[in-house]
Amino acid sequence: MVNNFSPFIADIVSIFNELDNKFDCYDCNQIQTIDTHLDFLRDFDNVILSGRQKNSVIINKINSSIVKACLILDKPLLGICYGGQILALTLGCTLKKIQKVKNTIQIDLIEPTPILEGYTSVRMYESHNFCISALSSDFKLLGTSESCTNELFCFRNKPLFGTQFHPEKSGRHGKDMLRNFLKLK
């Protein structure tokens, strides 16, 4: 897991501990000096990019490099809020600034996905003021809401998933999503 200094990182750690999942958590600045993230990521089963509080060119560059490495390695990746946004930006999508959203919302699933298997809608917590305005043709839209069209998406034929929401702050639905993501190999 890459901690981009999200205020909710302790919630992700708590869920992983509850799920009895072995994991490593690296602060973004701990991995900034790595020349290639390919070798670094090879030994991990999957990768999570957390949200963040402040914009940073360095954090963007590191996370974009991790996205590219996961794409090359076919490594499951879950980008949460900012993590989803940098996944989308790195692979050809666009963002737009919106009025701050800070609420639990309903997300309607429009495509089946292994990370929310069995659900047709979920309630998830959001806290952001940017959203993905357009997905590139390489992405598949999985879930949408009234506050954001592109709530949940994945890169076609690769296990790269992005959210606009925070599953770690979303109760049972979010915990189920994280559990299912960790099962991906």
Side-chain angles (χ1 to χ4, degrees):
M1 177 170 40
V2 177
N3 176 13
N4 294 305
F5 312 108
S6 167
F8 307 136
I9 200 69
D11 298 292
I12 300 172
V13 168
S14 176
I15 289 172
F16 285 179
N17 286 332
E18 206 176 304
L19 295 172
D20 199 26
N21 186 78
K22 185 180 179 296
F23 66 95
D24 294 313
C25 183
Y26 295 89
D27 285 349
C28 191
N29 59 6
Q30 285 179 285
I31 56 178
Q32 122 183 20
T33 59
I34 297 172
D35 289 331
T36 174
H37 289 98
L38 285 171
D39 292 332
F40 175 70
L41 294 174
R42 235 177 263 289
D43 295 331
F44 295 99
D45 292 331
N46 42 40
V47 177
I48 291 181
L49 303 178
S50 79
R52 69 164 187 204
Q53 286 185 301
K54 295 180 183 175
N55 190 18
S56 163
V57 172
I58 293 169
I59 290 175
N60 292 347
K61 183 178 175 185
I62 293 165
N63 281 272
S64 187
S65 177
I66 291 169
V67 166
K68 291 173 187 173
C70 286
L71 182 64
I72 291 166
L73 294 170
D74 208 22
K75 184 83 54 182
L77 171 87
L78 176 62
I80 297 173
C81 195
Y82 160 76
Q85 293 168 359
I86 198 69
L87 164 66
L89 280 174
T90 300
L91 299 177
C93 304
T94 58
L95 292 183
K96 68 178 177 182
K97 189 161 179 61
I98 60 171
Q99 188 169 342
K100 177 84 172 171
V101 176
K102 194 172 186 175
N103 201 0
T104 299
I105 56 148
Q106 178 171 313
I107 298 166
D108 296 314
L109 301 177
I110 57 175
E111 286 273 336
T113 175
I115 62 172
L116 281 169
E117 192 170 355
Y119 286 105
T120 56
S121 70
V122 289
R123 295 194 53 77
M124 298 285 189
Y125 178 76
E126 289 193 329
S127 178
H128 57 90
N129 55 0
F130 282 90
C131 74
I132 296 149
S133 57
L135 292 173
S136 77
S137 61
D138 290 325
F139 280 86
K140 182 175 10 172
L141 180 62
L142 302 173
T144 189
S145 77
E146 288 184 13
S147 69
C148 183
T149 302
N150 302 303
E151 285 285 355
L152 176 62
F153 48 90
C154 69
F155 196 77
R156 293 193 189 280
N157 305 316
K158 296 283 185 176
L160 307 177
F161 296 89
T163 74
Q164 271 300 167
F165 52 85
H166 291 273
E168 72 275 22
K169 297 294 288 180
S170 301
R172 182 176 54 90
H173 291 162
K175 185 176 177 181
D176 287 349
M177 180 181 183
L178 291 171
R179 177 187 298 112
N180 290 338
F181 173 74
L182 292 172
K183 292 177 185 176
L184 298 178
K185 303 288 182 214

